[in-house]
Amino acid sequence: MRISRRRFLELALGLTVLAACTRRAPEGDGQILPATPACGDGDDATPPQTAGPFFKPASPERSSLVESDTVGTLLIVAGSVLATDCRPVAGALLDFWQTDDAGVYDNQGFGFRGHQFADDQGRWELRTIVPGLYPGRTRHIHVNVQAPDGPVLTTQLYFPAEPTNEVDAIFDPALLMEAEGTVDGQRAGFTFVLDVS
Ligand code: FE
């Protein structure tokens, strides 16, 4: 759904607060859970994926990829970076890149590219739009995640209920975001688990 710039900003603000403060129990019983996700014993590290040909180094530091002339459906992705022992990875670097609404990467400038650092609890939040589709791939967001002084995890995030997931050769269900459609936009979540032992 296309939305006005003003409504977009109102939503972004509201959804940011929502995403930062609460997390619905997966059973849908209405219980509000803390933002910190559950982490059990022996959680698997987030699997790597190819960076593809469109990564560019030196992206700007910003948690919002939305600009004054951005077109598309608002998407707030919030999550955490944890170690396999469930400790938060404070200050982890997250460098995101994706296409615009039409499925096109900005290879001249830094449109829809940006890096940020997780907070002391390993939490992060990205404000962007739902990326478009391009031939041969399902809908996805690229990301590099790196603990301070750790190795770089290059991977991709996917959208649930996306029909093209099933025909994408590299799609991995372990990289599906928890996503929830709203009337005017979408919010999603993902917990990165890094093997930093
Ligand atoms: Fe891509």
Side-chain angles (χ1 to χ4, degrees), residues 11 33 35 41 44 64 67 85-86 88 102 114-115 131 145 166 171 182:
L11 270 168
L33 299 178
D41 293 334
D44 292 333
S64 176
E67 299 179 3
D85 64 1
C86 301
H115 73 272
V145 188
E166 295 175 15
F171 166 75
T182 66

Side-chain angles (χ1 to χ4, degrees), residues 19-164:
C21 298
T22 62
R23 181 168 175 264
R24 290 280 171 188
E27 310 309 324
D29 60 3
Q31 182 186 359
I32 302 297
L33 299 178
T36 303
C39 181
D41 293 334
D43 274 25
D44 292 333
T46 301
Q49 291 218 303
T50 176
F54 300 114
F55 174 70
K56 280 180 66 174
S59 70
E61 181 176 352
R62 55 179 180 173
S63 59
S64 176
L65 308 183
V66 177
E67 299 179 3
S68 59
D69 57 350
T70 292
V71 172
T73 300
L74 175 66
L75 171 65
I76 306 289
V77 190
S80 298
V81 182
L82 304 178
T84 47
D85 64 1
C86 301
R87 286 180 298 114
V89 181
L93 168 69
L94 301 111
D95 193 354
F96 293 97
W97 73 102
Q98 66 170 72
T99 71
D100 64 12
D101 184 57
V104 177
Y105 287 97
D106 180 2
N107 296 314
Q108 312 305 317
F110 287 95
F112 298 104
R113 301 171 185 271
H115 73 272
Q116 59 179 286
F117 296 92
D119 70 11
D120 289 346
Q121 302 300 311
R123 294 173 301 199
W124 56 273
E125 182 177 290
L126 176 69
R127 182 179 305 175
T128 185
I129 60 164
V130 175
L133 288 165
Y134 61 90
R137 292 302 319 277
T138 191
R139 206 178 304 277
H140 62 282
I141 298 174
H142 294 270
V143 62
N144 285 335
V145 188
Q146 183 179 26
D149 301 318
V152 177
L153 167 70
T154 299
T155 192
Q156 303 182 27
L157 301 180
Y158 295 99
F159 293 75
E162 187 69 41
T164 46

Side-chain angles (χ1 to χ4, degrees), residues 168-189:
D168 185 311
I170 72 165
F171 166 75
D172 183 343
L175 296 167
L176 279 171
M177 294 183 286
E178 292 178 37
E180 201 176 309
T182 66
V183 173
D184 295 295
Q186 290 195 2
R187 55 194 171 95

